[in-house]
Amino acid sequence: MEKQEIRQFITHQLNTLDRRQQREQQIYDRLFTVSAWENARSIAVTLSFRNECSTDPIIEKAWELGKQVVIPKVVQREMKFFEYLPNSRLVETTMGIREPDDTAVERSLNTIDLCLVPGRAFMRNGFRVGWGGGFYDRALIDYQESTLAVAFECQLVPAFAVESFDRPVDQIVTESEVILCR
Ligand SMILES: Nc1nc2c(c(=O)[nH]1)N(C=O)[C@@H](CNc1ccc(C(=O)N[C@@H](CCC(=O)O)C(=O)O)cc1)CN2
Ligand SMILES: Nc1ncnc2c1ncn2[C@@H]1O[C@H](COP(=O)(O)OP(=O)(O)OP(=O)(O)O)[C@@H](O)[C@H]1O
């Protein structure tokens, strides 16, 4: 399948997913036992939108545990990361993604212990298909710390053509397993 067909297929899968809340809770419970999560003092995470697995409980838990949280903002085709606190103000993009406002403090991704990478579809070897902006492929080029994706089982796909610029994640946490990709 082409990446574009995979995106359409996954959108349908996610829109018709049953027992979503139960599945999300299983994903969180499993994520919170992973050592890369436990050891991270700072995490980068996206604010979920549309039918992505909700990241709100992940962020709440991170704050509860005293972890620093940063979230991305797309600035002129480039993604930058900013500190995210319970009282941070957000603005919504035309696409519907919530992003930090102008007052947020920028943090280099390279100073963050764990990067939670969003994606539409994943192979078990960690390669992913996103929304098609290539933002994470570029952001992860010289990122040395742990990368992890949370995804529903139905987002795992058997095979797609990997391109030279694609960057795999280290681990994928689903509602039924932790996949060690590398
Ligand atoms: N929750 C979440 N936040 C995220 C991502 C993500 O996958 N999930 N991203 C992961 O990389 C980045 C944003 N990714 C984007 C990828 C593509 C387009 C884009 O192509 N927009 C089109 C409109 C497409 C549409 O409306 O459907 C455009 O601007 O013309 C925008 C943002 C950063 N934040
Ligand atoms: N390292 C890079 N340098 C320049 N362009 C890149 C790089 N990585 C990706 N791109 C560009 O980004 C485009 C989209 O890539 P791809 O379809 O893999 O995005 P994606 O992984 O689905 O999106 P995202 O990473 O934002 O979730 C590609 O067509 C490619 O030209």
Side-chain angles (χ1 to χ4, degrees):
M1 265 199 280
E2 294 299 318
K3 283 185 175 178
Q4 197 48 43
E5 293 174 86
I6 291 175
R7 289 186 186 104
Q8 284 172 17
F9 173 73
I10 295 295
T11 292
H12 177 75
Q13 295 291 303
L14 291 178
N15 283 340
T16 56
L17 190 64
D18 66 342
R19 295 180 285 118
R20 172 179 273 264
Q21 280 200 341
Q22 184 187 330
R23 291 173 189 278
E24 286 179 334
Q25 191 58 53
Q26 289 167 331
I27 290 174
Y28 308 141
D29 291 345
R30 190 164 274 105
L31 169 66
F32 299 152
T33 69
V34 169
S35 61
W37 162 270
E38 290 182 322
N39 297 335
R41 284 164 304 154
S42 52
I43 65 162
V45 61
T46 51
L47 299 182
S48 49
F49 85 126
R50 295 191 192 161
N51 56 17
E52 293 178 332
C53 175
S54 174
T55 55
D56 296 349
I58 298 174
I59 293 166
E60 291 290 335
K61 178 64 89 179
W63 283 335
E64 211 178 288
L65 295 171
K67 299 182 194 296
Q68 290 187 326
V69 177
V70 300
I71 58 170
K73 179 183 182 128
V74 175
V75 185
Q76 287 156 4
R77 302 299 300 158
E78 202 196 332
M79 192 170 56
K80 295 183 170 179
F81 287 85
F82 296 84
E83 288 176 4
Y84 184 47
L85 303 164
N87 60 357
S88 293
R89 281 191 298 263
L90 300 171
V91 289
E92 204 167 288
T93 67
T94 49
M95 218 179 140
I97 299 183
R98 293 165 295 153
E99 292 187 336
D101 79 356
D102 306 335
T103 64
V105 176
E106 190 178 348
R107 274 282 296 268
S108 162
L109 182 61
N110 292 325
T111 70
I112 304 299
D113 298 330
L114 172 67
C115 182
L116 298 186
V117 181
R120 304 307 288 166
F122 298 87
M123 286 193 286
R124 297 183 70 88
N125 61 7
F127 282 96
R128 50 179 283 284
V129 177
W131 287 103
F135 294 110
Y136 275 87
D137 293 324
R138 292 192 294 271
L140 296 177
I141 286 177
D142 46 25
Y143 183 68
Q144 304 293 333
E145 307 302 329
S146 300
T147 57
L148 184 155
V150 296
F152 298 106
E153 259 178 86
C154 67
Q155 291 174 269
L156 298 176
V157 296
F160 52 81
V162 169
E163 294 170 279
S164 59
F165 47 77
D166 286 332
R167 289 285 170 277
V169 294
D170 297 335
Q171 303 182 57
I172 305 169
V173 176
T174 75
E175 59 271 52
S176 50
E177 60 180 327
V178 177
I179 302 169
L180 299 179
C181 306
R182 319 201 289 156

